[in-house]
Amino acid sequence: MYKIFNTVEEVSAYTSQCILKTIQEKPNAVLGLATGSTMKPVYAHLVQKLQNNPVDVSQLTTFNLDEYLGLSGEHAQSYNYFMCEHLFNRLGSPIGRYNLPNGLAEDIEAACQAYSDIIKQVGGLDLQLLGIGSNGHIGFNEPYTSFSSRTHLIELTEQTRLDNSRFFTDKSQMPTHAITLGIQDILEAKEILLVATGSNKAEIMAELYASDVNEALPASVLKQHSKVTIVLDKEAAALLPANSV
């Protein structure tokens, strides 16, 4: 299902309301969270809503999609830092448990397996928030990642590194690898919200709309999920046919 709004603010308000509704209906919900510039206004709206409608977040459990390999949680471009800056440190009370992949783990394979296992142990994700890369990746699951994948280490494509290097003052510091939740982990979420905004996402959203399900376009796997909502602003939706709304 596609929901198309005029502005980024409207997209962010709607998405944050969906997250808030999940928390209100299930105080011990397990949330899958995402990072990136698309998510900044989403979290800003969510923080405001949680301040205006005080909700107990002490029972929540969260799992982030991914983390760069080799970056500590204190690094300004790590996703741990991003989440603390834009969500965790801005809440009136701490979230019960929040989890992110460990980019400095000594045994990456074991850490990846443990990450997927913990999600299973807590009953799976109630809601997974996703962005989408310009090459169709979800999390950091690059094109041709197996749809059966679990949390794993992945080499970032040149396109992804180019897209994300804008966040690094010294572009040579842009990591070459990341740890990402696997596609199978994502698919097992009970509900999925994919959010895309801006004209730079128009081409990939049109490609996703027209695509069949294939590993060349990782996000196409979402067409197999029973409860997915794709939330776009009018710029990201500019190349979609009118009947997609």
Side-chain angles (χ1 to χ4, degrees):
M1 176 173 59
Y2 286 78
K3 286 190 175 291
I4 300 173
F5 297 88
N6 288 323
T7 66
V8 170
E9 287 301 301
E10 290 175 354
V11 166
S12 301
Y14 174 81
T15 304
S16 63
Q17 185 61 42
C18 291
I19 299 170
L20 178 62
K21 183 173 182 287
T22 298
I23 298 171
Q24 289 173 326
E25 292 179 350
K26 188 177 181 182
N28 64 340
V30 181
L31 304 178
L33 301 179
T35 55
S37 55
T38 302
M39 301 304 161
K40 289 182 181 180
V42 172
Y43 292 142
H45 276 269
L46 180 59
V47 168
Q48 185 176 39
K49 283 180 168 63
L50 289 170
Q51 291 171 345
N52 295 339
N53 304 277
V55 175
D56 179 16
V57 297
S58 66
Q59 299 179 62
L60 287 179
T61 301
T62 69
F63 290 87
N64 262 78
L65 275 169
D66 39 35
E67 180 59 280
Y68 289 119
L69 183 68
L71 297 191
S72 72
E74 290 72 39
H75 191 288
Q77 297 308 323
S78 73
Y79 290 148
N80 184 92
Y81 189 96
F82 178 101
M83 293 305 303
C84 290
E85 182 80 5
H86 295 285
L87 183 61
F88 299 149
N89 290 349
R90 298 180 62 192
L91 298 175
S93 57
I95 284 177
R97 292 179 294 175
Y98 65 90
N99 302 272
L100 293 98
N102 181 4
L104 297 179
E106 292 186 7
D107 187 335
I108 294 296
E109 185 175 347
C112 288
Q113 182 175 335
Y115 201 73
S116 289
D117 288 346
I118 294 170
I119 294 174
K120 287 183 178 180
Q121 290 167 14
V122 298
L125 302 168
D126 292 297
L127 177 67
Q128 176 65 63
L129 184 63
L130 294 176
I132 185 171
S134 61
N135 63 1
H137 71 228
I138 48 176
F140 272 131
N141 292 290
E142 300 283 29
Y144 299 102
T145 299
S146 170
F147 285 166
S148 62
S149 61
R150 297 289 182 181
T151 304
H152 60 283
L153 180 68
I154 192 159
E155 182 176 2
L156 303 176
T157 64
E158 183 178 350
Q159 182 62 55
T160 295
R161 296 187 70 231
L162 179 63
D163 290 345
N164 289 13
S165 65
R166 70 186 189 276
F167 299 114
F168 290 79
T169 303
D170 181 354
K171 291 180 171 49
S172 67
Q173 293 184 355
M174 173 68 206
T176 59
H177 292 73
I179 299 170
T180 183
L181 201 65
I183 292 177
Q184 188 61 37
D185 296 305
I186 293 170
L187 281 180
E188 288 174 0
K190 298 175 182 69
E191 181 178 0
I192 296 174
L193 287 173
L194 186 148
V195 185
T197 57
S199 58
N200 61 317
K201 295 297 173 68
E203 287 189 12
I204 191 60
M205 293 314 302
E207 185 178 347
L208 175 60
Y209 181 83
S211 172
D212 59 2
V213 177
N214 67 88
E215 292 182 349
L217 181 55
S220 67
V221 75
L222 300 179
K223 296 183 179 186
Q224 296 180 339
H225 197 281
S226 61
K227 195 173 184 182
V228 175
T229 302
I230 297 176
V231 190
L232 309 173
D233 69 349
K234 64 180 180 181
E235 291 188 352
L239 302 180
L240 294 182
N243 63 2
S244 65
V245 181

